Amino acid sequence: MSHIEEGKLHAYLDGELDARRRAALEEHLAICADCQERLEAARALSRRASELLAELEPGAVHVPPWREIEGRAAARERAAPPRMWVRPSLAWAAALAVAFGVGWFSHGYWGDVVGVRFAARQAEAPAPVAADRDAAAPMAEITGEFEAAGQAEAGRGALADRSGEPQVLGELRRRPEARTAEAEEAQPAGRREGAVATEADKLAGLAAAAAREKPGAPPAEAEAAPEEAFVADRVERAGDERAGEPLAQARERVDPARQQLEQQQPAGALARRTRPDVVGFRDVQPPEAAAGLAAAADAMKRGFAVPVEPEEAAVWLGADLRTLAGLELVEADVAPGSTVEGALPGLPAVRLTYQDAAGQRIVLIQQWLGARQADDAVSEPALKIDPDGRRAYRWHDERGYRLILQGTVSADSLRALAAHLN
Amino acid sequence: MDLSQVYREHYRSLVRFLYRRIGDLARAEDLAQEAFVRALEHRPSRPRAWLFTVAANLARDEGRRAAVRRRHLTLIKAEAEAKPPEPPPDVALERREAVRRVQAALARLAERDREALLLWEEGFAYDEIAEALGLSRGSIGTTLARARTRLAAAFEAMKSEGSEEDVAH
């Protein structure tokens, strides 16, 4: 007689056996003392596990109002990139274009194969004329198996399509000493031009948008940031002062700056400094050197935020940098106080953006007031909740800092973080 | 089902589930709220099971992040420095010790066993646990039996280890 499995005993105690299995199990229990004993042991074990877990009661749980949760979801939806809906007609057009492309490619491919086979059959044929040999040579290099005889005739169509790239490669193989210079001249220049055009287009777009939306908007520096409102991102005003500027002028002004920057910095560094998440452009050099400091200061004057390393941020701040321990620092930048809402105009504001485990951004904005702060200006953190669910604590501490801590985490978490600021 | 009603009925349960899983109430609340925010985005047909599954995943991610571990340690350290512990009553001390041992015992369980046990304690049926963890319904009894046995054994083992340490001191 086989005994009841342990899992079934627990399922029985948990009330999770169906009627048939329960009846069968009870029938067995009635005649098996061993299983009765094991059943009692399982019952005690189950009770013990529940008792142990009952020790882990969280205590008073903070339950935020449901509208706060809805606000966070709405804010996230607004922040998410818009969905791209494709009309059926466009989808059909795209599908046809792809099909056409595949057909064209495969035609070239099969053309090559036919050409190669024909060339194999014609391997003993007389050599082609000089012009044809030039065109066929790169393909011969690629295949490495066939002579040019007959290839130009058989695969002429395919070769004509591809003659550009193999010729360049062939040329470079023949003249290795000239390869580097030519490649640098030809390839990256094209990329740079594309990048410059993209940036110029972006700026022109900004200028046009600003012209449409704010025809009479005052310059950025003339506006003071409202004291009582918080925003996570700085106010971008690059477009305001250029509103109405013709496209060509905008391009002319951006291009030299961009080119100069690219000459000074390697491409990797430029990509690292570029902030795709913020509207506007970041064509400023970080203060890594004296020239960089001047460029950053110039950018600051124009109201732009400058990405910096934490050590550099402390220099801008004029005091020790306040940080949040244990969280992952995503980025640091410095901007004029007048462009950061909630910050004081006339002083640089350092913004540190952290990320917590759930991927939430937590932003710490700080300004060092030092002797400018009156003794009685020290204040406790005051909470402000934006309609989109973002919370912010703002306060002046006894060390002379004006601090703003923002995030879409719970107020308790934010307060705990504020309490443990380094 | 209306999500606001699910929130009213199950938010505390979700926080408790997460708290038992990660041992930090503030983070448990954050993750529970995050799960509800995601539920608003996805509108699941069976929100309760969906929420606990998402919460379990969030808790799993939480455990993997070294940065958060550092933060916890830092916060705990800062907390300890900020609030010098007054001599607590023996009962409170014993309870804290018990909580620590249960947390440690729970941490010794296999991921799946632990989640099955915690879901059962939050009132999930075998069907729901099986769905949330991707297991067959027939294996849930065995999984729970193993989880209960190991939890009790790990707790007792740590209790005896603690007693030995006390004697040594």
Side-chain angles (χ1 to χ4, degrees):
Chain A
M1 182 179 62
S2 61
H3 293 296
I4 302 166
E5 292 169 19
E6 195 71 13
K8 272 193 183 160
L9 284 177
H10 281 258
Y12 173 71
L13 290 171
D14 291 339
E16 291 280 347
L17 284 185
D18 59 37
R20 187 178 58 80
R21 288 196 173 87
R22 191 169 59 241
L25 187 140
E26 285 172 348
E27 195 177 316
H28 177 83
L29 281 173
I31 57 165
C32 181
D34 273 359
C35 286
Q36 284 177 24
E37 208 171 304
R38 289 175 54 231
L39 179 69
E40 288 313 309
R43 196 191 308 274
L45 181 64
S46 184
R47 197 182 306 126
R48 179 66 177 146
S50 293
E51 284 170 3
L52 289 176
L53 289 176
E55 295 282 354
L56 300 182
E57 276 298 319
V61 173
H62 167 65
V63 186
W66 175 243
R67 66 174 180 280
E68 199 176 306
I69 305 295
E70 287 180 314
R72 281 173 60 179
R76 193 172 296 177
E77 197 174 349
R78 278 196 299 274
R83 287 182 181 178
M84 300 293 288
W85 294 104
V86 179
R87 284 186 300 175
S89 56
L90 288 179
W92 274 108
L96 283 172
V98 169
F100 180 75
V102 169
W104 182 264
F105 176 79
S106 57
H107 172 264
Y109 172 79
W110 289 112
D112 282 354
V113 170
V114 170
V116 167
R117 284 177 182 162
F118 185 79
R121 283 199 299 272
Q122 300 293 321
E124 300 301 320
V129 295
D132 289 344
R133 188 187 293 124
D134 285 345
M139 179 58 83
E141 279 189 41
I142 291 168
T143 60
E145 293 180 14
F146 300 105
E147 292 296 330
Q151 194 169 1
E153 287 178 19
R156 189 183 298 277
L159 285 173
D161 291 339
R162 298 169 177 216
S163 58
E165 187 179 357
Q167 275 177 349
V168 170
L169 290 173
E171 187 68 22
L172 291 176
R173 283 195 192 103
R174 281 191 291 277
R175 293 193 297 121
E177 71 281 358
R179 197 157 86 192
T180 309
E182 283 185 17
E184 282 176 359
E185 199 173 324
Q187 191 72 4
R191 289 193 196 136
R192 272 205 297 272
E193 282 168 16
V196 171
T198 305
E199 285 299 316
D201 290 346
K202 194 189 291 180
L203 179 65
L206 276 174
R212 279 197 303 276
E213 292 173 11
K214 298 182 184 177
E221 288 75 12
E223 289 183 17
E227 275 290 298
E228 297 305 321
F230 294 137
V231 291
D233 291 316
R234 73 201 53 72
V235 181
E236 285 294 331
R237 302 165 197 275
D240 289 355
E241 55 194 347
R242 298 175 178 84
E245 190 174 23
L247 174 67
Q249 282 181 26
R251 282 186 171 163
E252 279 172 17
R253 199 181 55 253
V254 173
D255 287 357
R258 177 84 184 185
Q259 284 164 354
Q260 186 186 1
L261 181 66
E262 288 183 349
Q263 284 165 5
Q264 289 168 351
Q265 281 202 301
L270 178 64
R272 188 165 56 84
R273 297 293 178 187
T274 303
R275 298 273 309 282
D277 57 325
V278 179
V279 176
F281 59 91
R282 288 275 172 275
D283 287 349
V284 290
Q285 193 177 11
E288 287 174 352
L293 273 168
D298 181 52
M300 292 262 293
K301 278 181 198 164
R302 289 186 287 146
F304 298 136
V306 184
V308 292
E309 297 298 332
E311 306 80 46
E312 299 160 354
V315 175
W316 282 106
L317 200 61
D320 290 340
L321 194 65
R322 310 294 296 278
T323 56
L324 290 170
L327 289 185
E328 183 188 353
L329 180 65
V330 179
E331 59 193 12
D333 54 33
V334 58
S338 60
T339 64
V340 180
E341 288 196 36
L344 295 175
L347 281 175
V350 171
R351 193 176 87 141
L352 303 180
T353 304
Y354 294 89
Q355 184 166 291
D356 74 0
Q360 301 283 350
R361 294 285 172 110
I362 294 168
V363 179
L364 172 65
I365 296 168
Q366 55 191 293
Q367 293 177 293
W368 189 63
L369 307 180
R372 299 180 196 87
Q373 175 166 295
D375 290 341
D376 58 355
V378 174
S379 60
E380 286 295 310
L383 178 66
K384 181 176 183 354
I385 300 178
D386 286 349
D388 63 0
R390 184 172 48 214
R391 297 163 186 77
Y393 274 109
R394 184 174 60 185
W395 73 105
H396 287 184
D397 76 351
E398 68 285 353
R399 289 166 58 182
Y401 288 82
R402 180 181 176 83
L403 298 156
I404 302 168
L405 194 58
Q406 302 170 329
T408 49
V409 297
S410 74
D412 287 346
S413 298
L414 215 53
R415 179 181 281 279
L417 287 169
H420 295 113
L421 204 62
N422 284 335
Chain B
M1 187 187 280
D2 182 18
L3 272 174
S4 63
Q5 189 186 338
V6 177
Y7 182 73
R8 279 194 300 276
E9 289 176 1
H10 299 297
Y11 174 74
R12 286 174 198 279
S13 168
L14 191 60
V15 170
R16 183 171 52 219
F17 170 75
L18 284 162
Y19 171 72
R20 287 173 171 174
R21 186 73 180 66
I22 61 179
D24 179 336
L25 179 55
R27 288 302 301 151
E29 288 176 353
D30 282 348
L31 296 185
Q33 290 164 25
E34 171 65 20
F36 274 100
V37 168
R38 293 188 186 186
L40 276 167
E41 292 167 355
H42 292 270
R43 299 279 172 185
S45 55
R46 280 188 282 182
R48 179 167 166 257
W50 190 93
L51 281 163
F52 277 81
T53 306
V54 168
N57 289 337
L58 289 173
R60 225 171 282 150
D61 291 346
E62 178 95 356
R64 291 190 190 115
R65 295 204 182 199
V68 173
R69 280 202 297 274
R70 283 202 303 275
R71 177 196 159 203
H72 286 167
L73 290 173
T74 308
L75 286 181
I76 290 164
K77 188 164 169 266
E79 199 80 55
E81 286 168 0
K83 296 179 188 169
E86 295 172 6
D90 286 349
V91 177
L93 190 65
E94 275 176 23
R95 177 161 157 61
R96 271 214 295 273
E97 186 58 23
V99 167
R100 189 190 65 76
R101 282 179 184 152
V102 175
Q103 281 173 336
L106 203 53
R108 287 191 185 183
L109 300 191
E111 185 99 33
R112 191 172 287 179
D113 293 359
R114 181 168 52 237
E115 282 175 8
L117 186 57
L118 293 180
L119 287 173
W120 169 256
E121 290 296 323
E122 292 305 328
F124 273 59
Y126 277 23
D127 283 333
E128 294 172 304
I129 297 173
E131 188 187 340
L133 300 183
L135 298 171
S136 70
R137 188 188 188 282
S139 68
I140 300 301
T142 308
T143 304
L144 285 176
R146 186 172 56 233
R148 287 161 174 159
T149 305
R150 288 185 179 170
L151 177 69
F155 181 80
E156 293 306 322
M158 270 181 294
K159 209 170 164 184
S160 58
E161 284 167 18
S163 307
E164 284 169 15
E165 280 175 17
D166 292 343
V167 170
H169 286 294

